Amino acid sequence: MTPNIFLIVGAALSAMAALLHICVIFGGPAWYRFFGAGERMAMGAAAGHWYPPIVTLLIAGVLGVWAAYALSGAGVLQPLPLLAFVLPAITAVYLLRGMVAVGLFAFDRQRLNAFWVWSSAICLVFGLVHLAGLVQVWETL
């Protein structure tokens, strides 16, 4: 089986997002603010609370697992458990998260800001890359 390039790219995107989340932990409050985590997370990080780094590390961990599943679906890694369920679920989460800005634009424009637009656009791209790869491997899952 030829490895699926779209899922390999999707895995790389998820892995980069995971790494970026880890960098945010070390970057501290300014990085939490810059990447749109909100003032509560930034203030918690500044005060040395456990919540911001734990939540950020959990997100990084989930993104890392998603990268592994994309590589598994691509044929680079051995099939992971529940691959036929998890890979479409990951794709759906990225696509739905990518639509948040559209929902805010339609229903709550006051909350629509640069963070929601950019992060939604990024997640939409991630989701479309995963979808393209998923369509190609669907019958083999």
Side-chain angles (χ1 to χ4, degrees):
M1 173 173 137
T2 305
N4 182 295
I5 190 68
F6 284 107
L7 288 175
I8 292 171
V9 170
L13 293 171
S14 292
M16 287 188 308
L19 181 59
L20 180 60
H21 278 79
I22 292 169
C23 290
V24 166
I25 295 169
F26 291 103
W31 283 50
Y32 279 98
R33 285 185 186 96
F34 179 80
F35 287 103
E39 193 57 28
R40 178 175 167 227
M41 291 287 277
M43 289 176 59
H49 292 294
W50 61 269
Y51 183 79
I54 295 296
V55 168
T56 308
L57 192 58
L58 286 172
I59 293 169
V62 167
L63 291 167
V65 169
W66 288 6
Y69 268 91
L71 288 174
S72 179
V76 174
L77 299 179
Q78 293 292 334
L80 291 173
L82 302 172
L83 182 62
F85 170 76
V86 174
L87 199 53
I90 292 166
T91 303
V93 169
Y94 274 135
L95 291 172
L96 290 171
R97 174 57 187 83
M99 297 304 294
V100 167
V102 174
L104 288 174
F105 181 79
F107 300 109
D108 193 3
R109 289 187 187 172
Q110 291 180 335
R111 290 190 56 206
L112 186 64
N113 58 31
F115 167 76
W116 287 113
V117 171
W118 282 107
S119 63
S120 293
I122 290 166
C123 287
L124 186 59
V125 168
F126 284 25
L128 291 172
V129 169
H130 277 77
L131 181 60
L134 182 59
V135 167
Q136 292 178 353
V137 300
W138 182 251
E139 290 190 19
T140 64
L141 292 180

